[in-house]
Amino acid sequence: MGESGSAPTMKDVAREAGVALGTVSKVMNGIPVGESYRVRVEEAVAKLNYRVNSYAKGLKTNKTYTVAVLVPNLVSPFFARLANSINRALSQKKHRMLLFATDYDPDQEQEYVILAEQQKVDGIICLSYNPELKVSDNVPLVSIDRYFGAKIPCVASDNYGGGRIAAEKLYENGCRNLAFMRIGSKLTNEPNKRKDGFTSACEALDIPYTLKIVDDGTPYSAFEDFLREHLRDGKLDFDGIFCVTDSLAYQIVRSLRAMGVRVPEDVQIIGFDGTKYFGDQDYFCSTIVQPLDQIAETCVEMILEKALSKAPSLVCLPVQYAYGGTTRQ
Amino acid sequence: MGESGSAPTMKDVAREAGVALGTVSKVMNGIPVGESYRVRVEEAVAKLNYRVNSYAKGLKTNKTYTVAVLVPNLVSPFFARLANSINRALSQKKHRMLLFATDYDPDQEQEYVILAEQQKVDGIICLSYNPELKVSDNVPLVSIDRYFGAKIPCVASDNYGGGRIAAEKLYENGCRNLAFMRIGSKLTNEPNKRKDGFTSACEALDIPYTLKIVDDGTPYSAFEDFLREHLRDGKLDFDGIFCVTDSLAYQIVRSLRAMGVRVPEDVQIIGFDGTKYFGDQDYFCSTIVQPLDQIAETCVEMILEKALSKAPSLVCLPVQYAYGGTTRQ
DNA sequence: TTGTATGCGTTATCAT
DNA sequence: ATGATAACGCATACAA
């Protein structure tokens, strides 16, 4: 292309079309120019296969149409779907997505934030596990699921409400003795509210509940031990279990079935997230579905909003119960 | 930051440190300068929280350390894992990933390729469904799973070998009447070779086989009809089935069990991809595992290689059988 | 309406 | 070794 094999520039186009540089710029940006000029420029563009250099443009305009997205990985279906939804939302607004996988590592998160800043992105959307993430205040940042303080807007599902719905649904389905299970960080993030909503609903319904909460890194067998402790004569103490994620719920279902406990006949189980087989088939389990598209769209809108400073500091979006085979219908 | 609220530049740092612009540049790029100068610059950088503007740098150096990755979506576990592996491989080589989801749409693919070119990426890695994708020849492109001709390197699993392994494994496990099932594009992409390897092995083993291949868009029920046609007195004609993907295999297993056919007792099933529950738990089914990390690393190495022109036009990487509960062990 | 000139933040080539 | 200066490709204010 161009003269020498490197990409053609506006100058090449201008020479080819026999017009001035500024005219080419105008045509490329849809600014009206004389009809004949426009045609000649467009022909030259087509002939040379010219592409605007967005680096030069970005340097000049201080706008890159690029947003950095930080998630732990793309292997967990939840993160993958989240990234997918964010990507779609950005794409609709003519923005591109720079994706960083942090692997839950606070140091990497910090490093990627710095990289994103160098990259002069128009904003950063992150699902962070670094409680003391430092970010320059000249780049907009929206957090998902983690409240960083009033200065940084946080978008999350209504985790508290989801916990309530789970308890209420189990109650409605006849359960009278519930359990909540969770493995997770001690960081104060929004998903922790799932438990609070759950216990609050149990208390309102006046039914007993048991909590089994273990720290990150605890082997899964801790849950199996817990289940076994509550198993007497092949019957479980509980008739309903709320698990903090679908992933955990799925494992619990397997363990219970292996122990001879029937799901949902003997015990009903509800997970959280709304994960589906292969992304598009059935739900793994009955679940509280997170509105990922809505979360993504909200994040993107907030990031691209100029007035981020006076955005709400926490946005909670409504969740929904969905049947997935591990509850009575 | 800086003076006015906008990000500080090298000029600001130079003024703050009382040195010349060029000196700051050298420090930022690790080029040796006098010890005292270096310290002063570093202090100024820290004080101002200065970040190199990669757009200015990219404009000057014509190197962006950014690679565009095009996949259909991040919802399918296979694509998500692939993107994850590519991201990791790029990250290790100090490159960033610009992710585009094409939704299988040839027009969008073309559009994103153009966008990537504008973005002056150092290369493009794509898993394309557009047989006539046009790409300027001044930007390196590596294709996954689709052979575009000798000029564009293609990286893929050894799909043919995988098909063979599936047939041989089923035979080894006692199967003597096999079936292959597939839903998929008629485009000539590498995964089509799964069938060829399978049939070739069947013929070598001298065992009969049946093919059920339907076009994209065909409802899944076509497979259930097919199964029912081959069901006599609760027994299936086949004792082994090779499915083109884990996703299909999973559905087939469900259908069969619903029909009262036992898996793996009555019929053994092998899928393809190596997909796991929630990305990190068990395999969905017995499967031919694709070496995603290796595919990703190969793509990245080739893209960052200067001598892409004399790269091999097709690289096939070895696959492996893995037990996942739908075969006899 | 079209053309010209300046500067965005950086690197690199010069003299010094 | 350090400091001044010219590009990189583009947008834009200004002059024609």
Side-chain angles (χ1 to χ4, degrees):
Chain A
M1 306 290 137
E3 296 286 285
S4 53
S6 73
T9 77
M10 266 192 185
K11 210 185 284 180
D12 297 321
V13 175
R15 192 178 335 103
E16 175 72 29
V19 302
L21 194 61
T23 308
V24 179
S25 175
K26 280 172 189 153
V27 172
M28 296 311 292
N29 290 290
I31 297 168
V33 302
E35 179 68 8
S36 65
Y37 284 80
R38 212 203 61 223
V39 172
R40 274 155 66 201
V41 169
E42 280 169 354
E43 282 171 359
V45 166
K47 177 172 177 199
L48 298 180
N49 199 264
Y50 167 72
R51 300 282 143 80
V52 174
N53 181 328
S54 58
Y55 268 64
K57 180 169 188 160
L59 176 59
K60 187 71 187 151
T61 60
N62 212 27
K63 182 99 173 74
T64 61
Y65 292 92
T66 302
V67 169
V69 173
L70 275 69
V71 290
N73 60 62
L74 293 177
V75 169
S76 296
F78 176 68
F79 298 135
R81 291 183 66 97
L82 180 62
N84 192 74
S85 294
I86 294 176
N87 184 64
R88 181 142 29 94
L90 284 172
S91 184
Q92 278 165 2
K93 302 250 181 190
K94 302 294 176 202
H95 282 246
R96 324 181 221 313
M97 177 171 99
L98 214 40
L99 186 77
F100 297 97
T102 64
D103 208 17
Y104 299 101
D105 177 355
D107 294 334
Q108 277 201 61
E109 282 184 11
Q110 185 63 73
E111 206 175 303
Y112 288 141
V113 164
I114 293 176
L115 245 107
E117 288 175 1
Q118 292 191 191
Q119 205 65 22
K120 301 300 171 197
V121 295
D122 292 346
I124 301 176
I125 299 175
C126 76
L127 199 161
S128 171
Y129 285 80
N130 183 344
E132 33 207 83
L133 198 62
K134 283 268 181 297
V135 45
S136 303
D137 37 41
N138 51 16
V139 39
L141 183 140
V142 169
S143 169
I144 296 178
D145 273 357
R146 167 173 292 288
Y147 183 72
F148 273 104
K151 291 182 65 177
I152 296 178
C154 172
V155 177
S157 291
D158 181 3
N159 288 286
Y160 189 90
R164 290 195 67 95
I165 292 172
E168 287 163 5
K169 188 69 194 180
L170 290 170
Y171 182 85
E172 181 190 326
N173 280 9
C175 301
R176 291 297 178 270
N177 190 357
L178 303 186
F180 171 76
M181 295 192 174
R182 162 167 156 231
I183 181 164
S185 63
K186 281 173 295 192
L187 302 173
T188 57
N189 50 21
E190 289 300 310
N192 293 359
K193 295 184 182 169
R194 291 170 197 173
K195 183 206 71 179
D196 301 328
F198 174 80
T199 58
S200 151
C202 286
E203 281 156 18
L205 294 164
D206 199 29
I207 53 174
Y209 63 84
T210 307
L211 303 179
K212 178 62 179 176
I213 300 179
V214 306
D215 289 342
D216 273 321
T218 309
Y220 171 72
S221 59
F223 287 109
E224 290 196 315
D225 296 342
F226 172 79
L227 291 174
R228 243 177 253 116
E229 285 166 23
H230 289 266
L231 196 64
R232 305 178 209 280
D233 307 325
K235 273 284 272 177
L236 205 61
D237 289 351
F238 325 114
D239 48 10
I241 302 178
F242 173 44
C243 294
V244 72
T245 62
D246 290 340
S247 173
L248 180 57
Y250 177 77
Q251 295 183 79
I252 297 293
V253 169
R254 287 185 50 142
S255 297
L256 286 172
R257 287 187 174 149
M259 292 176 189
V261 178
R262 293 172 305 164
V263 180
E265 294 83 355
D266 299 335
V267 56
Q268 299 180 58
I269 298 186
I270 294 182
F272 204 107
D273 280 348
T275 321
K276 291 177 177 176
Y277 286 102
F278 294 96
D280 59 356
Q281 297 182 14
D282 311 307
Y283 288 113
F284 274 93
C285 55
S286 295
T287 182
I288 306 297
V289 183
Q290 296 208 48
L292 285 188
D293 284 341
Q294 214 182 328
I295 290 177
E297 281 161 23
T298 305
C299 288
V300 168
E301 273 169 30
M302 293 177 89
I303 276 292
L304 304 186
E305 209 74 50
K306 284 298 115 190
L308 227 182
S309 51
K310 51 180 192 285
S313 62
L314 178 59
V315 178
C316 283
L317 298 167
V319 296
Q320 234 178 353
Y321 166 79
Y323 171 74
T326 56
T327 46
R328 292 187 205 148
Q329 207 152 9
Chain B
M1 307 290 135
E3 296 285 288
S4 54
S6 72
T9 76
M10 265 193 184
K11 211 184 282 182
D12 298 321
V13 176
R15 192 178 334 105
E16 175 71 29
V19 302
L21 196 59
T23 308
V24 180
S25 176
K26 280 173 189 152
V27 172
M28 297 310 292
N29 289 290
I31 297 168
V33 301
E35 179 68 8
S36 64
Y37 284 80
R38 212 203 61 224
V39 173
R40 273 155 68 202
V41 169
E42 280 168 355
E43 283 172 358
V45 166
K47 178 174 175 196
L48 299 180
N49 199 264
Y50 167 72
R51 301 281 142 81
V52 173
N53 182 328
S54 58
Y55 268 64
K57 181 170 187 158
L59 174 59
K60 190 66 186 157
T61 60
N62 210 27
K63 182 98 172 74
T64 62
Y65 291 93
T66 302
V67 169
V69 174
L70 275 68
V71 289
N73 60 62
L74 293 177
V75 168
S76 296
F78 175 69
F79 299 136
R81 291 182 66 95
L82 180 62
N84 192 74
S85 294
I86 294 176
N87 184 63
R88 182 142 30 93
L90 285 172
S91 184
Q92 278 166 1
K93 302 252 183 189
K94 302 294 176 202
H95 281 246
R96 324 181 222 311
M97 177 171 100
L98 215 40
L99 186 76
F100 296 98
T102 63
D103 209 18
Y104 299 101
D105 177 355
D107 294 334
Q108 277 200 61
E109 281 183 12
Q110 185 63 73
E111 206 174 303
Y112 288 141
V113 164
I114 293 175
L115 252 138
E117 288 175 1
Q118 292 191 193
Q119 205 65 23
K120 301 300 172 199
V121 295
D122 292 346
I124 301 176
I125 299 175
C126 76
L127 199 160
S128 171
Y129 285 80
N130 183 342
E132 33 207 80
L133 198 62
K134 282 266 180 298
V135 44
S136 304
D137 37 41
N138 51 15
V139 38
L141 183 140
V142 168
S143 168
I144 297 178
D145 274 357
R146 166 173 292 288
Y147 183 72
F148 274 103
K151 290 182 66 179
I152 295 178
C154 172
V155 178
S157 291
D158 181 3
N159 288 286
Y160 190 90
R164 289 195 67 96
I165 291 173
E168 287 163 4
K169 188 70 193 179
L170 289 170
Y171 182 86
E172 181 189 325
N173 280 9
C175 301
R176 291 297 179 270
N177 190 357
L178 303 186
F180 171 76
M181 296 192 173
R182 161 165 157 233
I183 181 164
S185 63
K186 281 173 295 192
L187 301 174
T188 57
N189 51 21
E190 289 301 311
N192 294 0
K193 295 185 182 169
R194 291 170 197 172
K195 182 206 70 180
D196 301 328
F198 174 80
T199 57
S200 150
C202 287
E203 281 155 19
L205 294 165
D206 199 29
I207 53 174
Y209 61 86
T210 307
L211 304 179
K212 177 62 179 176
I213 299 179
V214 306
D215 289 342
D216 273 320
T218 310
Y220 171 71
S221 58
F223 287 110
E224 289 194 316
D225 296 343
F226 172 79
L227 291 175
R228 245 178 253 115
E229 285 166 23
H230 289 266
L231 195 64
R232 307 180 208 279
D233 308 325
K235 273 285 272 177
L236 205 63
D237 289 351
F238 325 113
D239 48 10
I241 302 178
F242 173 44
C243 295
V244 71
T245 63
D246 289 341
S247 174
L248 180 58
Y250 178 77
Q251 295 183 81
I252 296 293
V253 169
R254 285 185 51 144
S255 296
L256 286 172
R257 287 186 174 151
M259 292 175 188
V261 178
R262 293 172 306 163
V263 180
E265 294 82 354
D266 299 334
V267 55
Q268 298 181 57
I269 298 186
I270 294 182
F272 204 107
D273 279 349
T275 321
K276 292 178 177 175
Y277 285 102
F278 294 96
D280 60 356
Q281 297 183 14
D282 311 307
Y283 288 113
F284 274 93
C285 55
S286 295
T287 182
I288 306 298
V289 183
Q290 296 208 48
L292 286 188
D293 284 341
Q294 214 182 329
I295 290 178
E297 281 161 23
T298 305
C299 288
V300 168
E301 274 169 31
M302 293 177 88
I303 276 291
L304 303 186
E305 210 73 51
K306 285 299 116 190
L308 226 183
S309 52
K310 53 179 192 284
S313 62
L314 178 60
V315 178
C316 283
L317 298 168
V319 297
Q320 233 177 354
Y321 165 79
Y323 171 74
T326 56
T327 46
R328 292 186 205 149
Q329 207 152 9

